[in-house]
Amino acid sequence: KQWYQRRVRGTMGDCRRQIESMKERSLLKERSATSRIDELEAQLGRATTTQTQLKRLKDEAEKRSQQRINEMRERLEQANNTTRSMQNYVNFLKQSYSSVFGESSSSPYNGGRLSPTFKRTPSPTRKSPGNFSYDYS
């Protein structure tokens, strides 16, 4: 009978040690998991912050690019307007030359002789580009 009691007590002691060992392993696993969760949450926070910063930088870059595109479009439009204005002025000069000299040639150098050169003279009464004096030198 004592032998059985010792054996039962021994078995119970073994069971208690196994339970304690399992508890310790469980606690270690739980601490490890908690530590890993904390680490992953911190990593997620850093990734979210980085993502927010990158999105802000991307939005700023897109805004600057769009502003640059708009500026370039405006410059192109100004250049086109200047070109049209100059073309209109050249056409006006050609028509003026033709009407004054009765020639259809648009070249100021005509058949080996020099045609008059146009000098612009401002007129206080008229603001059109047609105020010219002629110099035959």
Side-chain angles (χ1 to χ4, degrees):
K1 190 172 181 182
Q2 283 183 342
W3 180 78
Y4 284 114
Q5 287 177 343
R6 277 185 282 159
R7 186 155 173 125
V8 169
R9 279 186 229 145
T11 305
M12 286 178 66
D14 288 343
C15 286
R16 283 188 196 118
R17 283 189 292 278
Q18 285 179 355
I19 290 172
E20 286 299 316
S21 176
M22 288 174 70
K23 280 183 182 180
E24 286 179 25
R25 280 185 274 163
S26 256
L27 285 173
L28 285 174
K29 284 183 181 181
E30 184 180 342
R31 286 183 194 137
S32 175
T34 302
S35 174
R36 181 72 177 141
I37 288 171
D38 292 344
E39 181 183 319
L40 289 172
E41 286 176 344
Q43 191 176 5
L44 177 62
R46 289 189 300 271
T48 302
T49 300
T50 301
Q51 179 187 19
T52 302
Q53 290 172 345
L54 290 174
K55 184 180 181 332
R56 183 178 42 80
L57 290 173
K58 178 187 143 262
D59 291 344
E60 289 172 0
E62 284 177 351
K63 184 178 178 181
R64 282 191 308 272
S65 294
Q66 191 59 47
Q67 288 173 339
R68 182 83 171 129
I69 288 169
N70 291 341
E71 289 171 6
M72 293 175 84
R73 281 185 181 147
E74 288 175 15
R75 287 184 195 167
L76 177 61
E77 185 62 30
Q78 289 173 351
N80 286 338
N81 289 339
T82 301
T83 301
R84 275 192 296 278
S85 176
M86 292 176 82
Q87 287 172 339
N88 290 337
Y89 185 65
V90 167
N91 287 336
F92 169 78
L93 290 176
K94 286 179 182 180
Q95 289 172 355
S96 296
Y97 183 87
S98 177
S99 68
V100 169
F101 295 101
E103 299 173 8
S104 62
S105 171
S106 63
S107 170
Y109 187 78
N110 197 4
R113 70 174 179 85
L114 229 78
S115 295
T117 57
F118 298 102
K119 290 185 181 176
R120 190 164 170 74
T121 57
S123 169
T125 58
R126 219 170 139 202
K127 293 188 178 183
S128 85
N131 303 317
F132 297 97
S133 66
Y134 303 100
D135 180 13
Y136 290 95
S137 53

